């Protein structure tokens, strides 16, 4: 090895000593955190960031030419923050505020620290996010940026990892590099494969990846050779790469090395000095340099005027069709809009976008967890991903969905085939929990259109929304009830039937709104006057209109093709929690079956006739 | 080939012709369903059931010696039902009621048909369920039963499949046989690997399975040779087996064979006769014989008396610890109780059960989807599985959880580390959506204990409950507030503070119940009288006690360490939907952060002081 690089290796060793000090001290100070899991990755990460491999401009962290680093093993955050301290981004004294209330240095990395690429901490999510970032660089931005993902060995048991490995190979993401820290020990003991690097290599290679083994993940010669073997940014081998390194959990502190029972356990204050002394004398002033990104000019994507909608009142159009039409119509208005679908684009209707904008459509196959993880990565790289599949199957990715807000990722979800109204396919295909699931997302939108015109308007609004948004679409055709001039807004609603003498208010969205409109006519024939509200925005909800309706009627009925828990009805109950007008929530309460849509709406009591009867019974009770 | 087996092969061909007729006719009659996906698997399934491989006693479907057959590709239900028609279990005229309202023959198999092993239809779940059944036969019942799972090629993209493949190899489930129907075409087009059998073999073998390729999945010689190669039941190679067969989607109907665009499309009535004529003349009276199971006597597991709990009032015990203690204490009372954990048993405390009953504990590693699928399989084979991990990570398996009721599977879930009160680890580890998720499960229980005594009682109740039950446990220590004699029930609650002059009612569970008890004392000092209710059963909920409290106080406050949507507060709002007393729901509304538990309870307004102030502000407003 040349003296130059020998000097550099000594520099990396000094950096490592200082970083190990910081890892031990900040976790000991916090009296919580994962020092041993951090110590095993030190050389892998110091070698990457400060060994001339990783390219990043600290002054322009969002620049598309920057390489990306995701800590999928988010519990190694003490190392993550220490690396940025070594790069001069974090002051050592700030490190000592790790995990304290208000610190940007949270227990697991979140967007509160500006250089966190993606929030992690729920294992098995980082590689999918990396797939989304690598796909963005390769297929959309055509930038030289490479994405590096630090993986733990325990988390390789998560199926989402294999979804990501499979898709990365399919899309030939040779700009994606996984760094697998095989430290042998999980939280409660040894992993499935212990220190057997070949077990990981055989499995990952079988999916079409290039694998490089690092027999000693603490030897800088081996680590730097592995990174050098990656070649220059922009190299195109057609294969993603996995570096698989044997490491020692707790490395650097003999008393903790490779021992079970130290996971997530900081060094106590009493033994701190004794433990630190095992690290040898640090050079406290030492810092590291990160190489600058290669020059690259992104081409600015300009928004262009698009046509307005023109459905005619009464046209029979499924809202899922209107969604497909909207993606195509809005493509030029939102040049960063991309579509991801879980092998059902002919059902969700994202196929229409795929056929016209193949370069902006990504087939994600039947692997919803990775689809959502990749969408998170694309969103964090500035795209506007629309993720579509059956509403029922979005439950598959609830963990990825709940994590997205901690990355400030702005993702648009579209769930088709909601409710029992899909009919013969039966309960496995029916989205009956999706409103409840998406309502739990902080600052998330839950939109549920009842016709084609409002669907197109809501797709436009959600594309423009900064945050998580969910659109619930319906399988069957529904009549268009709004003309093209009608305006809609987030948190809005429409009062479709009203008078000065309303006795009852019916609140619904989607297919049950149409059942309520028919019920209103039936009730009129019985001399009962009902107001009907289209609650197309379930979250946020039009508080003023709902309260006014409660003020002006004897009773409120909500009707939804969804289970009662967490649905539209409970959203209305929350809005009226301090209001005395009684509310009746009609929802899917019997076990859903196969049958015709009409039979099922009747069986669940959410058809026009059943709604009208329920209202009548209540008034004459 | 011997003439005997030549005759048998001809018999299988005749059966196949008749089964293909039934597949085409019942889907055409229903005008929905998936005939082409069914046709590709005909020889694989007829060869299994009627070729002397599969062993099953139709008179005793629950007998533990029976082999098991799971259709993971549940959309092939026309084939599934036709097989049982050929076995004499279903009358041909009943087949023609396929997918009609009220028929036990639903669009995708559910427990409404008595020979459905497990409800499927959401892809990528059957193999995990098979893992649970094979694990039950091998490790618990020690029965010769083998489990066969029919898999589609599209669904191999699901990560859950690789979780199952990985765990089956780890537990050496040589009584598990996957049958992979590689018909090349998914719903919207070609799969990732098309007809490349070796792509599947290489990947599956790398995980330690034995793979057998069937170059022509419609050739009975090849199919029967593959089944014969499995060896006799009870053979112990130590490896699970995957049969990988090249098949033709739509096989048997030349106009549909291997053509895209026919997925989920039945033959229309007009062309029905023409299409059926392509099948040749059937022998309508032909039926098949299934071989009987080998003789095996299960040893009856007897329930035994167990000690009662004895915590002392005021003891500081985390409810997660009480859960661990309860599993151990109740082991003899529930001999069928087993524990599954996602590599965090030292945190959930199921470790205590593992250490004392290692044969009844299953380490499922960090793979929650497969853990829940396997628990479904164990439950369907008569065990009482307790599935434990962090509450946050149960969201990973929402799709498997929502499907379990359609199998009538009785599974017990335990989620630890709920809410912001876990502190420093931050939002990724906090269960803040779990109550909302489990409340959506029909007939499911949501239990949330506040002390050790009630935790033990609730674990006992849920072990005995026939259905899905969820227990929410807390990380930190809490004082014991109930003595050992106290009784609890599903749908019950406890009024802990009350008087004739209650102005306010505070309803909570878990850690916030203790905050409410402190708040009640603070309010008393301010001259405000409050009732406090422990709502340990959130679903079902103690309607009478909640309504009485609303009748007897000016205002109701709910307090929970959970997001407001779908939580305890909305459950109470639903109970009081026709009641005029105002309800205020205090919950986690700000972005959760890292910090100390007390700081976070304060920041979210769910600490005693913040509760007392909110009540005071409301009363003097």
């Amino acid at each position: 090895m040349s003296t130059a690089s020998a000097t550099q290796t000594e520099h990396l060793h000094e950096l490592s000593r200082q970083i190990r000090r910081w890892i031990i001290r900040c976790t000991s100070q916090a009296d919580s955190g994962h020092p041993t899991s951090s110590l095993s990755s030190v050389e892998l990460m110091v070698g990457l960031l400060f060994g001339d491999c990783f390219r990043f401009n600290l002054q322009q962290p969002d620049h598309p030419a920057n390489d990306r680093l995701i800590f999928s093993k988010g519990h190694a955050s003490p190392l993550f923050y220490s690396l940025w301290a070594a790069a001069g981004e974090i002051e050592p004294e700030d490190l000592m505020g790790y995990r304290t209330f208000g610190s940007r240095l949270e227990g697991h990395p979140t967007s509160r620290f500006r250089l966190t690429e993606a929030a992690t901490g729920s294992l098995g999510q980082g590689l999918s996010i990396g797939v989304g970032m690598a796909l963005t660089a390769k297929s959309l931005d055509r930038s030289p940026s490479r994405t590096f993902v630090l993986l733990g060995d325990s988390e390789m048991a998560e199926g989402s990892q294999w979804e990501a490995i499979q898709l990365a190979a399919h899309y030939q993401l040779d700009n994606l590099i996984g760094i697998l820290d095989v430290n042998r020990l999980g939280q409660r003991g040894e992993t499935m494969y212990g220190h057997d690097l070949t077990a990981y290599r055989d499995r990952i290679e079988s999916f079409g990846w290039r694998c490089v083994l690092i027999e000693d993940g603490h030897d800088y010669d081996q680590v730097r050779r592995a990174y050098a073997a990656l070649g220059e940014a922009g190299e195109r081998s057609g294969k993603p790469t996995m570096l698989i390194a044997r490491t020692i959990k707790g490395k650097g502190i003999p008393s903790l090395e490779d021992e079970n029972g130290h996971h997530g356990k900081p060094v106590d204050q009493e033994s701190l000095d004794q433990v630190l002394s095992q690290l040898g004398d640090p050079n406290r002033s030492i810092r590291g340099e990160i190489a600058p990104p290669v020059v690259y000019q992104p081409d600015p994507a300009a928004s262009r005027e698009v046509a307005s909608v023109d459905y005619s009142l009464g046209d029979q159009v499924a809202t899922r069709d209107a969604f497909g039409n909207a993606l195509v119509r809005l493509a030029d208005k939102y040049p960063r809009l991309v579509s991801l679908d879980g092998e059902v684009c002919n059902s969700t209707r994202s196929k229409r976008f795929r056929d016209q904008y193949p370069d902006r459509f990504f087939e994600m196959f039947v692997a919803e967890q990775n689809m959502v993880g990749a969408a998170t990565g694309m969103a964090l790289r500035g795209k506007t991903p629309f993720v579509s599949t059956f509403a029922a199957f979005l439950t598959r990715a609830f963990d990825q969905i709940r994590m997205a807000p901690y990355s400030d990722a702005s993702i648009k979800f579209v769930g088709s085939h909601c409710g029992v109204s899909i009919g013969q396919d039966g309960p496995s295909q029916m989205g009956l929990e999706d409103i409840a699931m998406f309502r739990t997302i902080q600052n998330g939108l839950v939109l549920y259109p009842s016709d084609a015109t409002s669907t197109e308007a809501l797709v436009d609004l959600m594309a423009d929304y900064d945050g998580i948004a969910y659109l619930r679409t319906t399988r069957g055709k529904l009549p268009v009830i709004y003309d093209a001039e009608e305006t809609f807004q987030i948190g809005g609603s429409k009062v479709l039937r009203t008078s000065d003498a309303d006795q009852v208010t019916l609140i619904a969205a989607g297919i049950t709104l149409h059942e309520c409109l028919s019920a209103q006519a039936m009730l009129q024939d019985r001399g009962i006057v009902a107001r009907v509200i289209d609650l197309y925005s379930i979250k946020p909800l039009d508080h003023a209109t709902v309260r006014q309706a409660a003020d002006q009627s004897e009773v409120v009925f909500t009707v939804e093709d969804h289970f009662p828990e967490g649905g539209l009805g409970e959203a209305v109950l929350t809005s009226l929690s301090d209001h005395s007008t009684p509310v009746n929530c009609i929802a899917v309460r019997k076990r859903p079956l196969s049958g015709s849509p009409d039979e099922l709406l009747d069986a669940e009591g959410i058809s026009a006739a059943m709604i009208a009867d329920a209202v009548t019974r209540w008034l004459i009770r």
Side-chain angles (χ1 to χ4, degrees), chain A residues 124-125 127-132 135 159-168 171 340 364 367-376 396-397 400:
Chain A
Q125 297 200 11
L127 193 58
S128 293
I129 296 169
V131 164
L135 211 43
S160 51
Q161 305 278 35
W162 300 96
E163 293 180 1
I165 286 169
Q166 164 185 260
L167 199 86
Y171 281 111
L340 292 74
M364 303 303 281
E368 297 78 9
Q369 293 196 347
N370 180 64
M371 173 164 64
V372 175
T376 302
R396 203 80 176 224
Q400 283 77 6

Side-chain angles (χ1 to χ4, degrees), chain A residues 482 487-489 491-495 533-537 542 545-546:
Chain A
Y482 298 112
T487 60
F488 301 84
Q489 61 202 23
S493 71
K494 296 284 179 186
V495 179
I533 296 175
D534 173 4
L535 197 70
Y536 62 80
S537 178
D542 184 350
T545 300
V546 168

Side-chain angles (χ1 to χ4, degrees), chain A residues 302-308 328-335 357 460:
Chain A
S303 170
R304 282 195 265 114
E305 276 281 318
V306 297
S308 49
V328 172
R329 186 177 64 84
L330 297 167
D332 287 342
K333 179 174 180 182
Y334 300 105
Y357 299 92
D460 197 345

Side-chain angles (χ1 to χ4, degrees), chain A residues 320-322 324-325 328 345 349-357:
Chain A
R320 60 173 170 151
D321 286 303
N325 298 341
V328 172
C345 63
R349 304 304 201 228
S350 63
K351 183 177 185 300
R352 298 180 184 181
F353 184 84
R354 179 196 73 174
D355 295 344
Q356 293 212 35
Y357 299 92

Side-chain angles (χ1 to χ4, degrees), chain A residues 575-594:
Chain A
S575 176
L576 297 174
S577 60
D578 60 350
H579 200 291
S580 60
T581 299
V583 179
N584 290 299
C585 299
I586 304 181
V588 175
R589 295 176 189 276
K590 298 201 196 102
R591 176 169 171 164
L593 304 174
S594 287

Side-chain angles (χ1 to χ4, degrees), chain A residues 82-361:
Chain A
S82 298
L83 289 167
W84 292 115
E89 171 70 17
I90 300 173
E91 289 307 317
E93 47 274 33
D94 294 346
L95 267 185
M96 297 308 128
Y98 174 59
R99 286 183 167 236
T100 57
F101 185 69
S103 167
R104 62 192 166 139
L105 310 182
E106 298 205 80
H108 294 74
T110 73
S111 58
R112 287 171 48 81
F113 174 58
R114 75 174 193 126
L115 296 184
T116 298
E117 285 291 346
T120 50
S122 179
L123 294 174
Q125 297 200 11
L127 193 58
S128 293
I129 296 169
V131 164
M133 292 187 176
L135 211 43
T136 299
K138 186 186 175 87
S139 308
L140 296 168
D141 292 347
R142 297 191 170 63
S143 114
S145 165
R146 295 182 297 178
T147 301
F148 296 85
V149 182
L150 177 65
L151 298 156
D153 48 357
S154 292
E155 68 176 324
M156 294 309 290
E158 286 284 12
S160 51
Q161 305 278 35
W162 300 96
E163 293 180 1
I165 286 169
Q166 164 185 260
L167 199 86
H170 177 78
Y171 281 111
Q172 306 188 342
L173 299 180
D174 41 26
N175 57 344
L176 177 66
I177 300 98
I179 303 160
L180 179 51
D181 174 10
V182 184
N183 67 18
R184 190 183 72 82
L185 294 168
Q187 170 173 331
R188 67 94 201 81
E190 186 160 50
T191 62
M192 220 180 287
Y193 309 123
H195 258 150
D196 180 2
L197 303 188
T198 60
Y200 294 100
R201 183 196 58 202
D202 295 349
R203 288 158 177 72
I204 296 166
E205 269 183 359
S206 77
F207 279 80
W209 282 49
R210 178 172 64 150
C211 290
V212 178
L213 300 192
I214 301 176
E215 293 299 334
D216 179 355
H218 303 295
D219 176 337
Y220 274 119
D221 294 344
Q222 294 184 36
V223 170
R224 293 176 64 191
R225 208 175 303 121
Y227 286 126
L230 291 176
E232 287 307 297
E235 177 221 43
R236 292 291 177 255
S237 71
K239 287 184 168 193
T241 302
M242 186 70 73
L243 307 183
I244 305 171
R246 177 183 287 105
T247 64
I248 304 297
K249 197 164 179 174
K251 177 70 177 182
I253 311 298
S255 54
L256 303 176
E257 286 183 1
D258 202 33
E259 282 288 329
N260 197 14
H262 296 296
H263 182 93
K265 300 217 177 110
V267 173
D268 52 53
Q269 292 288 338
E270 299 63 53
S271 34
L272 184 58
D273 293 343
Q274 182 273 329
V275 165
L276 290 177
S277 68
Q278 299 179 44
L279 286 172
D281 282 341
N283 168 352
R284 291 166 193 278
S285 64
I286 192 163
R287 295 294 180 270
E289 279 287 322
I290 297 177
V294 297
V295 180
Y296 157 86
Q297 256 328 317
D299 40 357
S303 170
R304 282 195 265 114
E305 276 281 318
V306 297
S308 49
V309 293
D310 64 339
Y311 298 99
S312 306
L313 293 177
D315 283 356
Q316 291 285 329
V317 185
T319 55
R320 60 173 170 151
D321 286 303
F323 158 66
N325 298 341
L327 281 188
V328 172
R329 186 177 64 84
L330 297 167
D332 287 342
K333 179 174 180 182
Y334 300 105
R336 294 159 166 278
L337 186 158
V338 294
S339 167
L340 292 74
D341 194 278
E343 228 269 63
V344 288
C345 63
N346 52 337
S347 292
T348 61
R349 304 304 201 228
S350 63
K351 183 177 185 300
R352 298 180 184 181
F353 184 84
R354 179 196 73 174
D355 295 344
Q356 293 212 35
Y357 299 92
D359 299 346
R360 290 162 63 182
F361 176 88

Side-chain angles (χ1 to χ4, degrees), chain A residues 553-608:
Chain A
S553 45
E554 297 169 41
V555 59
V556 171
F557 279 77
T558 64
V559 189
E560 63 194 305
D561 192 357
H562 182 279
F563 288 139
E565 297 86 359
L568 178 150
E570 289 194 348
V572 169
L573 285 173
T574 290
S575 176
L576 297 174
S577 60
D578 60 350
H579 200 291
S580 60
T581 299
V583 179
N584 290 299
C585 299
I586 304 181
V588 175
R589 295 176 189 276
K590 298 201 196 102
R591 176 169 171 164
L593 304 174
S594 287
S596 73
D598 290 346
E599 286 169 327
L600 296 174
L601 292 176
D602 257 339
E604 297 293 350
I606 56 177
S607 64

